[in-house]
């Protein structure tokens, strides 16, 4: 297993004292903090049932094969009302924030759609403002037909 990115390996201590590989992950799995002695690890299972483990020992293994990492020994423990309360509160909080994220995603999508609609809708040109009396007079002069030239007028 040299250099496979498993910086933390959890082994479950069996009733007969043997160790069974349980989980191999990198340090980021635990948000950068390796479980320590006395910590409780709640492992989610099917049908939202958690299994609880107590950390018994933590060792850093230095390996000549560049397979260095943390070995965490855990022991299965019985569920207790306090542990169940904690994982249920965690699940409710997670659902709450997922709902908030979804609501914000929908609102953002609606705002983007509205902006896109505004950008792609052709605007009608603004009507010309009413002309002032002076402007009307000037326009009238400009549009006034000129008298036709008579034959023999000076044509240049």
């Amino acid at each position: 297993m040299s250099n496979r990115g498993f910086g933390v390996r959890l082994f479950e201590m069996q009733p007969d004292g043997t160790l069974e590989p349980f989980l191999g992950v990198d340090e980021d799995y635990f948000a950068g903090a390796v479980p320590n002695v006395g910590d409780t690890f709640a492992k989610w299972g099917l049908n939202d049932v958690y299994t609880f483990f107590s950390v018994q020992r933590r060792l850093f293994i230095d390996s000549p094969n560049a397979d260095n990492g943390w070995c965490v020994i855990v022991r299965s423990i019985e569920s207790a009302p306090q542990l169940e309360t904690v994982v249920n509160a965690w699940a409710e909080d997670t659902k709450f924030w997922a709902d908030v994220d979804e609501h914000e995603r929908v609102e953002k999508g609606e705002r983007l759609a509205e902006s896109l609609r505004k950008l792609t809708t052709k605007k009608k040109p603004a009507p010309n403002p009413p002309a002032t009396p002076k402007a009307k007079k000037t326009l009238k002069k400009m549009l006034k037909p000129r008298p036709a030239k008579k034959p023999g007028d000076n044509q240049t």
Side-chain angles (χ1 to χ4, degrees), residues 64-124:
N65 300 330
D67 223 4
N68 307 335
W70 287 99
C71 175
V72 178
I73 309 297
V74 298
R75 177 179 51 83
S76 179
I77 58 175
E78 292 294 320
S79 179
Q82 181 185 19
L83 296 175
E84 292 294 332
T85 299
V86 170
V87 295
N88 289 334
W90 182 275
E92 288 171 11
D93 194 54
T94 299
K95 182 179 179 340
F96 171 81
W97 287 112
D99 291 346
V100 167
D101 288 344
E102 178 62 22
H103 182 73
E104 289 176 350
R105 222 178 353 265
V106 167
E107 283 182 346
K108 184 178 181 180
E110 289 171 353
R111 285 192 309 271
L112 288 173
E114 179 65 19
S115 295
L116 184 60
R117 187 189 61 75
K118 285 180 180 178
L119 290 172
T120 57
T121 302
K122 290 188 177 183
K123 294 182 180 178
K124 294 179 181 178

Side-chain angles (χ1 to χ4, degrees), residues 54-68:
S54 174
V55 176
Q56 302 297 296
R57 194 109 168 125
R58 179 178 82 165
L59 300 96
F60 183 81
I61 309 292
D62 185 21
S63 172
N65 300 330
D67 223 4
N68 307 335

Side-chain angles (χ1 to χ4, degrees), residues 1-8 24-27 67:
M1 267 180 77
S2 71
N3 212 9
R4 293 209 182 169
F6 300 125
V8 182
V25 294
D26 62 20
E27 289 86 352
D67 223 4

Side-chain angles (χ1 to χ4, degrees), residues 8-12 20-25 30 35 41 70-74:
V8 182
R9 297 183 200 170
L10 275 72
F11 291 86
E12 182 181 358
E20 186 175 312
F22 177 67
L23 183 66
V25 294
F30 295 106
F41 177 60
W70 287 99
C71 175
V72 178
I73 309 297
V74 298

